[in-house]
Amino acid sequence: KHMKKGISLIALIITIIVIIILAAITINGVSGILERSRYAKFCADLDAVQESVNQAYGTMVLEEAKKPGEKKNSQQIYQELAGGDEMDYREKTLYQLTDEKILGLKLPTYGTNKWYVDSQTGDVYLLYGFEYNGKVYRSKKDIQGVVEENDYAQFHSVITVDIPTGSIPVIHNGKNWVIADRNSDWYDYRADVRQWANIITVDSDVRSAYLSKPVGTVISDDEFENDVIGMFVYIPRYAYQITSHLHDGGNVVGNIDIVFINKQNQDNTGKVYSEEYPTTTLDGKEPSVAGTEADKMNDFVVHPAFTDNAENGGWEHDLDGIWVAKFEACSSTTELVEDQSTGSVTVEGTGKISTNIGGKYGWTNDKSNSSEYAVFKPNITSWRYVDVATIVQKSKDVKEKHGLTDSTSHQMKNSEWGAAVYLTYSKYGNKNLYNNSYCEGDGVWTPITGMSGTTMEDGTDSRKTAKKYCEDGSIQMTYGGNNVKTFYPYDHTNGYHSSSTDNIYGVYDLAGGSWEYTAAYVDNATHTTYKDLYSNDYEKNVYVTGTTNGSASNYEANANKFGDALYETSKYGASRTDTWNSDISTYPTSGSPSFERGGDFLDGTGAGAFGFYEQQGLGSWIRFSSSSSTIKVT
């Protein structure tokens, strides 16, 4: 007799497992094939643009040779060939390629990226590059592995980026954020690149999965919206020197020179910088005497935010750098919903807006509510109407809620605000920082994180009557009196103006948005509760009182403080706009001892990164902002 043959249970299980493995391999393989095919297309597109430039240039050279008299040089020919704007990039002069007729091809589109040509060599560049496997490729030399920027390694030899455990380094490919190779071209702080290091944090439910994702993984729009709960930008340790308009204010902006250094206070040549404040051209004068264009510091000083000088804004030990939140803080209870017409307001196009979940404004002012925590994302209403006690607690909770196991988090100090602002206004940042003047124009004047107005000093102060979501991602708002304004999100090329780098890699909302409290106050008997909010000296900036405890008296009494973008970048006069850029300035007093920084969407010309004002520490328009949370790796 022949026994019936069949598949056993064990064999069935093994077969199923094999099928699952093969399916996974197939899915991953398909994903890998798609990424490789996109990279191959980029290489082909780059070749095509380079060949078109070569041919067009060769043709123009021959035509030029036939002309009598003086001939155009190579740079002039490339400029004529390109037809677009000139820019400096990695010690080169580039021209944007815009004239497709001369080139004889339609330029390939890669998000908001622009094509450029080197005025000397004719090499073609896709400015912010194409990301593949966690690396960025901008030119054929990058693909060929040619190290054309010899100064890169030397320039970055003193920059150490401490990545908090639990966070994920990312770069941007022109459309999406991508998990970066931390050992590769993840960041580049040179003045002609301004690619500051960025990390993300994700929700605890998906954290393990994200931490195991390979380099090169693209984070889709839906994943970014649903999974990412924080973005942070790195400010490396540096020394600075203000070389004009020291202790000056009004319609002026001084010059700030920056030198990146290591913990031994050495730059990349081995020169050592002092932590002692240098002499200045103002020495010997009364603090009330304002500076001029010629007034300056006579040498560099290590910025105190990175030192162990707790009295002037440092920590209990030296730091390689600090991470600051990329956007204003929002409540985890706030959600995005489809935006529809409400009442008499007409909404055109499709888009989303924050909706109120829980309290009147979509959040609470309850420091004991552990289920509500701070998130740092674009396109969401910022967390306002919250007092200092709640801000302090929610700032400390960032470490746990964002899964940063080897770090500490805290409310940002004035010294750390100054560290971010000074780097912004150096050659390594964006000296023409725009305001975030976006306002929903509703009953609670809702600002939105990461937005940019259309001018540096734009402001908004009325109710909206219509709203339109435009195809290019911008939002067109009509306010009372038929006042039409256009706003741009953080990832729009026009939105970059409100970033500290003038590209997507910077800190947003430093100017405008909402006022923000910092961990800083004038020490007086009126508000002794501040002493109980901060456990350690290095968690706060404490300022002494003057003879009268008034605004002018307190301002002059703290003339020895530096690095905090207060005395150094302002003068005290009758005007409330006596800071650089004419930003609003009123020094804290006995009745309102707490500092707020940056201005809000209403302030227009008065809003700005150098602005400061007095507050009581109560919940009001002031936001628990992005920049008021700082992370350091222990």
Side-chain angles (χ1 to χ4, degrees):
K1 292 183 178 179
H2 296 282
M3 296 182 62
K4 285 188 175 181
K5 293 184 178 179
I7 188 167
S8 69
L9 180 58
I10 294 176
L12 179 60
I13 293 172
I14 292 173
T15 302
I16 293 173
I17 291 173
V18 170
I19 292 172
I20 292 172
I21 292 172
L22 289 173
I25 291 172
T26 301
I27 293 171
N28 291 333
V30 170
S31 176
I33 291 170
L34 290 174
E35 285 302 303
R36 288 194 294 274
S37 66
R38 293 188 188 100
Y39 176 64
K41 180 181 182 301
F42 163 71
C43 293
D45 286 341
L46 181 58
D47 283 338
V49 177
Q50 184 69 68
E51 181 61 25
S52 296
V53 167
N54 294 345
Q55 290 185 7
Y57 174 79
T59 300
M60 295 176 75
V61 168
L62 290 174
E63 292 177 351
E64 194 67 22
K66 298 177 183 177
K67 296 179 181 178
E70 188 176 349
K71 308 292 192 298
K72 293 178 182 176
N73 61 33
S74 177
Q75 185 168 337
Q76 292 171 324
I77 295 175
Y78 276 123
Q79 184 176 18
E80 183 178 334
L81 165 68
D85 295 334
E86 175 184 327
M87 75 166 294
D88 293 327
Y89 173 77
R90 294 188 173 181
E91 302 180 0
K92 312 176 195 308
T93 299
L94 305 184
Y95 298 117
Q96 184 183 344
L97 293 170
T98 59
D99 197 327
E100 296 179 335
K101 185 176 181 180
I102 292 180
L103 292 173
L105 91 164
K106 183 172 179 58
L107 291 168
T109 301
Y110 285 87
T112 57
N113 251 323
K114 305 297 183 185
W115 293 93
Y116 286 82
V117 61
D118 187 330
S119 62
Q120 296 296 325
T121 66
D123 291 331
V124 167
Y125 288 82
L126 185 65
L127 186 58
Y128 291 112
F130 181 88
E131 181 282 328
Y132 175 62
N133 276 348
K135 296 182 180 181
V136 177
Y137 299 89
R138 298 180 175 92
S139 67
K140 288 181 69 66
K141 289 181 179 177
D142 287 341
I143 293 171
Q144 295 162 357
V146 177
V147 181
E148 60 173 315
E149 293 81 25
N150 294 325
D151 64 331
Y152 178 88
Q154 183 180 13
F155 184 89
H156 288 82
S157 63
V158 293
I159 296 178
T160 299
V161 180
D162 295 319
I163 305 176
T165 300
S167 68
I168 302 164
V170 291
I171 54 178
H172 202 267
N173 65 6
K175 181 180 179 182
N176 296 99
W177 290 99
V178 179
I179 296 178
D181 181 354
R182 65 184 67 194
N183 298 314
S184 183
D185 193 11
W186 168 37
Y187 57 85
D188 191 339
Y189 281 84
R190 284 176 295 177
D192 46 10
V193 183
R194 304 188 308 280
Q195 184 176 323
W196 299 4
N198 279 238
I199 56 173
I200 62 169
T201 55
V202 295
D203 186 84
S204 58
D205 291 342
V206 296
R207 191 168 296 146
S208 296
Y210 269 81
L211 291 173
S212 63
K213 288 180 182 290
V215 165
T217 299
V218 176
I219 301 170
S220 69
D221 291 340
D222 287 341
E223 289 171 329
F224 185 83
E225 179 182 320
N226 298 321
D227 299 339
V228 175
I229 60 174
M231 294 198 73
F232 299 87
V233 180
Y234 195 66
I235 312 296
R237 185 183 180 98
Y238 66 78
Y240 74 95
Q241 180 183 18
I242 296 177
T243 59
S244 67
H245 289 294
L246 179 67
H247 182 45
D248 196 3
N251 189 26
V252 300
V253 179
N255 182 70
I256 303 176
D257 289 336
I258 297 290
V259 177
F260 295 108
I261 56 176
N262 58 23
K263 282 185 181 178
Q264 289 72 46
N265 295 336
Q266 297 173 311
D267 66 13
N268 58 12
T269 69
K271 181 179 178 180
V272 178
Y273 293 82
S274 174
E275 296 183 15
E276 296 295 325
Y277 202 68
T279 59
T280 74
T281 55
L282 290 166
D283 285 353
K285 297 180 181 179
E286 292 294 323
S288 57
V289 176
T292 66
E293 182 177 4
D295 284 304
K296 65 178 183 177
M297 298 160 53
N298 292 324
D299 203 348
F300 285 84
V301 63
V302 178
H303 196 287
F306 308 109
T307 71
D308 59 0
N309 181 2
E311 184 177 348
N312 202 51
W315 277 87
E316 77 275 30
H317 58 77
D318 286 287
L319 301 176
D320 288 314
I322 55 176
W323 291 95
V324 300
K326 192 175 180 72
F327 305 100
E328 297 174 2
C330 315
S331 168
S332 59
T333 63
T334 304
E335 295 182 2
L336 284 174
V337 297
E338 294 295 330
D339 196 2
Q340 299 176 352
S341 299
T342 55
S344 60
V345 178
T346 302
V347 176
E348 297 182 29
T350 58
K352 295 184 178 182
I353 190 173
S354 303
T355 185
N356 295 337
I357 304 295
K360 177 180 179 182
Y361 306 107
W363 53 82
T364 66
N365 185 19
D366 181 3
K367 66 179 181 181
S368 63
N369 180 7
S370 61
S371 63
E372 182 180 25
Y373 56 91
V375 298
F376 307 94
K377 299 178 64 172
N379 309 318
I380 306 180
T381 181
S382 56
W383 196 345
R384 297 165 294 135
Y385 294 91
V386 58
D387 60 32
V388 169
T390 303
I391 292 172
V392 171
Q393 185 58 54
K394 297 302 180 183
S395 297
K396 291 180 179 179
D397 290 345
V398 167
K399 169 189 174 179
E400 176 189 353
K401 298 297 184 180
H402 289 245
L404 307 174
T405 56
D406 66 344
S407 306
T408 62
S409 57
H410 61 280
Q411 181 189 12
M412 191 178 218
K413 299 178 288 187
N414 270 344
S415 56
E416 293 165 331
W417 175 274
V421 171
Y422 284 6
L423 186 59
T424 298
Y425 277 82
S426 74
K427 67 179 182 179
Y428 302 109
N430 178 13
K431 295 183 179 181
N432 299 306
L433 189 68
Y434 276 32
N435 288 345
N436 177 352
S437 56
Y438 184 95
C439 175
E440 270 296 305
D442 53 11
V444 291
W445 302 101
T446 305
I448 299 295
T449 57
M451 301 293 288
S452 177
T454 53
T455 67
M456 286 181 63
E457 300 174 337
D458 194 19
T460 302
D461 60 0
S462 57
R463 300 286 182 96
K464 75 171 183 283
T465 58
K467 180 178 182 181
K468 181 180 180 180
Y469 289 94
C470 304
E471 291 184 3
D472 67 349
S474 64
I475 298 176
Q476 189 180 86
M477 203 81 79
T478 303
Y479 297 99
N482 201 34
N483 181 16
V484 180
K485 291 189 174 184
T486 302
F487 301 96
Y488 301 93
Y490 88 107
D491 55 352
H492 191 289
T493 50
N494 291 339
Y496 295 166
H497 295 318
S498 64
S499 158
S500 64
T501 54
D502 203 23
N503 60 43
I504 203 167
Y505 289 104
V507 180
Y508 289 76
D509 306 323
L510 287 170
S514 297
W515 283 99
E516 59 197 77
Y517 281 122
T518 48
Y521 61 91
V522 172
D523 190 13
N524 57 57
T526 308
H527 287 263
T528 57
T529 53
Y530 280 107
K531 295 180 175 65
D532 300 326
L533 293 178
Y534 307 101
S535 305
N536 303 291
D537 289 342
Y538 52 76
E539 293 178 343
K540 59 189 176 182
N541 292 129
V542 181
Y543 296 81
V544 300
T545 56
T547 54
T548 66
N549 208 351
S551 186
S553 175
N554 290 346
Y555 176 85
E556 294 188 13
N558 291 281
N560 63 326
K561 295 287 188 182
F562 62 96
D564 53 7
L566 291 172
Y567 186 85
E568 292 175 320
T569 57
S570 68
K571 64 181 179 182
Y572 199 91
S575 172
R576 290 177 58 205
T577 56
D578 279 331
T579 62
W580 286 3
N581 270 334
S582 297
D583 295 344
I584 291 177
S585 58
T586 298
Y587 210 82
T589 58
S590 58
S592 300
S594 187
F595 284 86
E596 55 182 14
R597 308 299 299 262
D600 63 30
F601 60 86
L602 292 167
D603 289 326
T605 57
F610 296 103
F612 58 90
Y613 206 71
E614 60 175 350
Q615 266 296 335
Q616 297 180 8
L618 306 175
S620 62
W621 286 107
I622 298 88
R623 69 174 182 252
F624 172 176
S625 80
S626 68
S627 299
S628 62
S629 254
T630 309
I631 293 170
K632 73 178 186 71
V633 178
T634 54

